[in-house]
Structures are given as structure tokens and as C-alpha cells.
Amino acid sequence: MQCACGRTLELQEIEELDASACFIRFDCGVCDFRLGLEVEPKQASPLFDYIVLTDEAQHILDRMPPYLEPLVREEVEHYAHQKGVTVVTSAFLAEARNRGAVSWNPEAESRLARVPAPVRAMARMELERTALDRGMSEVTVSLMEEVKARYFGMRRDYG
Ligand SMILES: [Zn+2]
């Protein structure tokens, strides 16, 4: 994107506001022009012809061990290309690391098996979606406890 003064706007930050919105800020650097956009990360993809990470996704990579970070970055960029995504959020990062799937901690999996069949599929979907929204790559027992209480009103004796 170009500024009215003719210079290319520089990306300053992408902040995740919640699971479905991010705030993107561009500065000109020559004149005082600044541009702020609040958009869904998926809608922001056409704004960039290269892959950008939100501040939160960058923070996750920064905390990884130095040997792991370049591997994960490459894996994520590859997955982003496949999906036609340029704005990588923390949720997308988790999705990329699992090739679009959320894994289940063994204890969480065995608890899910005890959930009554009519609600099991819905519970599985809701838990995986919540995990991805939070940038988690795995469904854990503590996430289950929380989601159960919030969405399903299930009693603890299923688990
Ligand atoms: Zn300018």
C-alpha cells in the first residue's frame, strides 16, 4: 500500500484483539501519515504479498528454543502458502503446527469417550475450535473442564 506522498507504507504492528479481529497499523515514515485497520485476519490476507505474523504469533515463535524456531517458521509459512493466508495469527500458528488438526491429550481423549454419544461430536468440535482460537495445539483436561461448564453444563461425574 502506498501513502499519498508516494512512499510505501510500512507495517508497524498487528495486534490480535480477539479470535476474529486484529488491529493493523501502518506508518509512512516520511510524512506523518498513519493508517489503522481493524479487520478479520482472513480478510487482511490480500493486503500483503508476503507472510506477516501478528505480534502474538511472533511472541510464540520468540519463546521457542533457537533450534526449533526456524523449523516452525518454515512449516507455518508453507502451510500459510497452501491456505492462501498471509496474516498468521496465534490460532493459525497452532493450526499450522498440526496441519489443521488439534490433537488430544490421552486423558482428555478418554474422558471424551465417556461423554454421552449424542453430545460427543458437538463437544469434540467445540473443544477443538476453542483450542485453536486460543492458539493451543492440544485439547487438555483443564480446557475440557472449562468448556464443559460453560457450554454443556455437564456434571463432573462424566470425567
Ligand atoms: Zn507519506
Side-chain angles (χ1 to χ4, degrees):
M1 273 196 295
Q2 279 206 324
C3 179
C5 77
R7 197 163 177 276
T8 302
L9 291 173
E10 285 174 20
L11 175 66
Q12 297 299 318
E13 61 168 350
I14 308 180
E15 185 192 343
E16 291 178 31
L17 303 174
D18 57 43
S20 61
C22 64
F23 181 77
I24 306 178
R25 189 165 62 85
F26 296 92
D27 282 3
C28 172
V30 173
C31 64
D32 280 337
F33 184 76
R34 289 179 167 204
L35 178 67
L37 301 167
E38 190 182 321
V39 286
E40 264 186 61
K42 280 182 190 120
Q43 292 177 335
S45 280
L47 293 175
F48 303 97
D49 53 12
Y50 51 94
I51 289 172
V52 294
L53 276 72
T54 63
D55 296 348
E56 288 77 6
Q58 184 61 54
H59 184 63
I60 293 171
L61 281 185
D62 289 346
R63 279 179 308 177
M64 286 179 181
Y67 70 89
L68 187 62
E69 191 268 351
L71 300 177
V72 172
R73 184 181 289 274
E74 197 184 303
E75 183 182 63
V76 167
E77 291 189 352
H78 182 73
Y79 186 73
H81 277 302
Q82 282 180 337
K83 294 275 173 182
V85 162
T86 63
V87 178
V88 171
T89 61
S90 50
F92 188 82
L93 191 67
E95 186 184 321
R97 296 204 65 193
N98 286 287
R99 292 275 171 264
V102 177
S103 63
W104 284 69
N105 162 292
E107 201 190 333
E109 183 81 71
S110 70
R111 282 197 186 205
L112 184 71
R114 295 199 290 271
V115 170
V119 280
R120 196 181 304 141
M122 190 176 70
R124 177 183 285 277
M125 231 167 56
E126 186 59 40
L127 281 158
E128 291 182 353
R129 194 189 59 76
T130 306
L132 284 176
D133 281 351
R134 294 195 187 173
M136 297 165 67
S137 57
E138 189 180 68
V139 175
T140 60
V141 170
S142 62
L143 184 72
M144 281 184 100
E145 290 293 338
E146 187 192 324
V147 170
K148 253 174 17 175
R150 199 156 37 118
Y151 293 96
F152 305 109
M154 286 179 208
R155 290 188 321 229
R156 281 180 180 267
D157 50 20
Y158 291 128

